[in-house]
Amino acid sequence: MTFSVATIAAEAVAPPPIPAPQPRTAEAVTGRCAGCSARSKGLCGALTAGDLPDLSTTSRPLDLLSATPVVMEGEEADAVFTVMSGMLKLYKTLPDGRQQITGFATAGDVIGLAVGTGYAYTAETVTASTVCRMSRTALRRLMERHPAVQGRLLAMTSVELSAAQDQILLLGCKTAVERVSSFLLALSRRSRPLADGTPSVFLPMPKVDIGAYLGLRPETLSRVLRKLEGAGAITRLTNDRIRIEDPAVLEAAA
Amino acid sequence: MTFSVATIAAEAVAPPPIPAPQPRTAEAVTGRCAGCSARSKGLCGALTAGDLPDLSTTSRPLDLLSATPVVMEGEEADAVFTVMSGMLKLYKTLPDGRQQITGFATAGDVIGLAVGTGYAYTAETVTASTVCRMSRTALRRLMERHPAVQGRLLAMTSVELSAAQDQILLLGCKTAVERVSSFLLALSRRSRPLADGTPSVFLPMPKVDIGAYLGLRPETLSRVLRKLEGAGAITRLTNDRIRIEDPAVLEAAA
DNA sequence: GGGTCCGGTTGATCCAGATCAGGGCGGGTC
DNA sequence: GACCCGCCCTGATCTGGATCAACCGGACCC
């Protein structure tokens, strides 16, 4: 699954409110990162506790409402963002408006890494989210000072690349049923099961976004889900939660 | 697309420029890499001439006929290969035999980088090729000894990721005509024009492989090429060479 | 020479999924 | 309450590209 590092850009059209000024004493900033829920993930996981001041002084958390753009495709890539909570969609847009979602980012994922000067895609929250901003120059300095960060970045980028190649296989070869089954299985591997132990997946994003990720229309997605439900593979609990009744059926279909 | 690795290095530490070759005592091994046509590309471009013995003693060139597998999806990833000449196709296979080509590798590209223990794809020559083998442990040692190699690897992986996301956009959104036009344009940007200055592309791989890369059947590819030829966008010179008559028409279609 | 094989091309037909259209429902607002 | 609006679902129809089928021409072999 893609969920992970993304690339995108620039200034949000509707910038989120700027948080109150941060305390700048070492203790305060160290404490902020030390208590971060994404502390062990993303780039930060490559640093030891002693390095936290380096992080806290160069990064800044942002609380965002849903449907808020974080970076815009093509704009100057001057910062990267680590997702602390929530979910974002990453997408590319063709000149005529067609959009392809390349991935969804959740806690620990890093978005905004760019090859050139511009973000490669747009990132936008699909639920209320918290992200942590770090300027590109700060990231560069951090990498120079802590080589482990570069290693972590390489590892994350490699995982992203592998996920992207899986998505290429999905889009190039698979049928609608296979795509949806693969998607549900990949998601279920990343989420905790229900209280009774059966696996389930949480789908906070609108169906049209899932379709845009899988290369399908929302109508088709709806029909496929109905078919999978009829086959006993899944049960739709609510609009945004699906229980996996029989992973084997999904495996066979994927 | 996967094609050769470009230059720009995301956030990576910039590799040093390549100085002129310098004489060494171990002339035999130094000489082999010093005269390598891919010397300035791929991972090797991150090293200075003085480091060449490190390379020569751990890497070994291999001459391969066409249709020769180099790495197999799922097998233990114990080595990486730098392409010195020729062309390879990289593909993933579904259990029922459907194949999706994720990219073509040419001189300077590195294949066989793996996230886990197994190769993520199969790589097979499409023309007679020369590749240079380096064991994974040797690569790890090289990275430890020369941090610039890790930076180069990150840069190359980032470019690969960006290309993969472009391919996701292509497969998820574009029509057959748009796919072929995008493909021809991307190729033409990487190849030298004909003697008379008009751009052209070289397609040594069979049409079925181009189709497997673009998510199209060979019949469809043939029809699209005919249509583009009819529109005055291209001319088919030989079976494996196409002249771009009007890049603007392709741009409009892509 | 004649044969086979294989890649490519062209034509006819089919079908998975897109598109078009309508309706239901839950949440928000006044 | 009534109204609106977004999202989702379902049915009917359409279509781009797949599939099926035939043919062609060059490479290779005997």
Side-chain angles (χ1 to χ4, degrees):
Chain A
M1 197 79 240
T2 289
F3 298 116
S4 39
V5 184
T7 28
I8 302 261
E11 294 304 298
V13 171
I18 305 299
Q22 301 296 324
R24 285 291 161 172
T25 68
E27 296 73 23
V29 290
T30 299
R32 197 183 66 209
C33 282
C36 174
S37 59
R39 166 73 184 84
S40 64
K41 304 174 186 170
L43 293 174
C44 310
L47 296 175
T48 63
D51 302 322
L52 287 186
D54 265 3
L55 267 186
S56 300
T57 56
T58 57
S59 62
R60 191 168 47 114
L62 301 168
D63 288 318
L64 308 173
L65 297 177
S66 65
T68 306
V70 176
V71 302
M72 296 286 285
E73 182 177 358
E75 293 196 356
E76 190 181 340
D78 53 359
V80 301
F81 300 82
T82 300
V83 180
M84 294 164 65
S85 68
M87 180 179 283
L88 295 88
K89 62 175 174 180
L90 319 176
Y91 59 92
K92 284 172 164 281
T93 308
L94 289 177
D96 65 359
R98 279 174 288 174
Q99 294 186 342
Q100 175 66 35
I101 292 184
T102 58
F104 297 98
T106 55
D109 291 337
V110 175
I111 62 180
L113 298 169
V115 171
T117 60
Y119 291 115
Y121 44 85
T122 302
E124 182 183 315
T125 56
V126 296
T127 67
S129 306
T130 304
V131 302
C132 195
R133 182 187 193 277
M134 178 183 291
S135 76
R136 210 177 174 182
T137 57
L139 173 61
R140 193 176 303 119
R141 263 190 289 110
L142 196 66
M143 280 201 300
E144 285 163 3
R145 231 178 324 171
H146 306 283
V149 173
Q150 181 164 314
R152 176 66 70 113
L153 196 51
L154 175 57
M156 294 172 65
T157 305
S158 298
V159 170
E160 274 298 292
L161 176 58
S162 179
Q165 286 169 342
D166 286 343
Q167 194 68 359
I168 286 174
L169 176 66
L170 181 144
L171 293 171
C173 285
K174 295 189 183 180
T175 66
V177 170
E178 290 166 343
R179 292 179 197 199
V180 176
S181 299
S182 301
F183 175 71
L184 292 177
L185 277 176
L187 271 190
S188 72
R189 289 194 203 99
R190 304 168 31 85
S191 58
R192 263 173 292 113
L194 297 175
D196 65 0
T198 57
S200 78
V201 298
F202 177 47
L203 302 168
M205 67 292 268
K207 295 280 177 288
V208 64
D209 284 348
I210 300 175
Y213 177 61
L214 298 176
L216 299 173
R217 300 283 124 191
E219 296 94 327
T220 302
L221 179 60
S222 174
R223 287 184 244 270
V224 169
L225 288 176
R226 184 154 51 100
K227 181 183 251 189
L228 289 177
E229 195 163 21
I234 62 172
T235 301
R236 296 201 243 183
L237 302 177
T238 66
N239 199 16
D240 59 7
R241 185 164 289 280
I242 288 178
R243 182 167 61 200
I244 312 288
E245 301 290 352
D246 192 345
V249 173
L250 289 186
E251 295 278 4
Chain B
M1 51 195 68
T2 299
F3 295 119
S4 79
V5 174
T7 44
I8 308 155
E11 304 286 344
V13 176
I18 317 297
Q22 82 185 45
R24 295 281 296 189
T25 49
E27 247 171 52
V29 288
T30 302
R32 197 180 68 209
C33 283
C36 175
S37 59
R39 167 72 184 85
S40 64
K41 304 174 186 169
L43 292 174
C44 310
L47 297 175
T48 62
D51 303 320
L52 288 186
D54 266 3
L55 268 185
S56 298
T57 56
T58 57
S59 63
R60 192 164 45 102
L62 301 168
D63 289 317
L64 307 172
L65 296 178
S66 64
T68 307
V70 176
V71 304
M72 296 286 286
E73 182 178 0
E75 291 196 356
E76 189 180 340
D78 54 358
V80 301
F81 300 81
T82 301
V83 180
M84 295 164 64
S85 68
M87 179 178 283
L88 295 86
K89 61 175 175 180
L90 318 177
Y91 60 92
K92 283 171 164 285
T93 309
L94 289 176
D96 66 358
R98 281 174 289 174
Q99 295 186 342
Q100 175 66 35
I101 292 183
T102 58
F104 296 98
T106 55
D109 290 339
V110 175
I111 61 181
L113 298 169
V115 172
T117 59
Y119 291 116
Y121 49 76
T122 301
E124 182 182 315
T125 56
V126 297
T127 66
S129 305
T130 305
V131 301
C132 195
R133 182 187 192 278
M134 178 183 291
S135 76
R136 213 176 172 184
T137 57
L139 172 61
R140 193 176 305 119
R141 264 190 290 111
L142 195 66
M143 279 201 299
E144 285 161 4
R145 227 170 339 164
H146 305 284
V149 172
Q150 183 169 341
R152 176 65 71 111
L153 196 51
L154 174 57
M156 293 172 63
T157 305
S158 299
V159 170
E160 281 292 294
L161 175 58
S162 179
Q165 288 168 342
D166 286 342
Q167 194 69 358
I168 285 173
L169 176 66
L170 181 145
L171 293 171
C173 286
K174 296 189 183 180
T175 66
V177 170
E178 291 166 343
R179 293 179 196 200
V180 175
S181 299
S182 300
F183 175 71
L184 292 177
L185 277 176
L187 270 189
S188 73
R189 288 195 203 97
R190 302 170 28 80
S191 57
R192 262 173 292 115
L194 296 176
D196 63 1
T198 56
S200 77
V201 297
F202 177 47
L203 302 168
M205 68 292 269
K207 295 279 178 292
V208 65
D209 284 348
I210 299 174
Y213 177 63
L214 298 176
L216 300 173
R217 299 283 127 191
E219 297 95 327
T220 302
L221 180 61
S222 174
R223 285 184 245 269
V224 170
L225 288 175
R226 185 153 51 103
K227 181 184 251 188
L228 290 176
E229 195 162 19
I234 62 173
T235 301
R236 297 202 242 180
L237 301 176
T238 65
N239 199 17
D240 59 7
R241 182 162 292 279
I242 287 177
R243 181 166 61 198
I244 312 287
E245 300 290 351
D246 192 345
V249 173
L250 289 186
E251 294 278 4

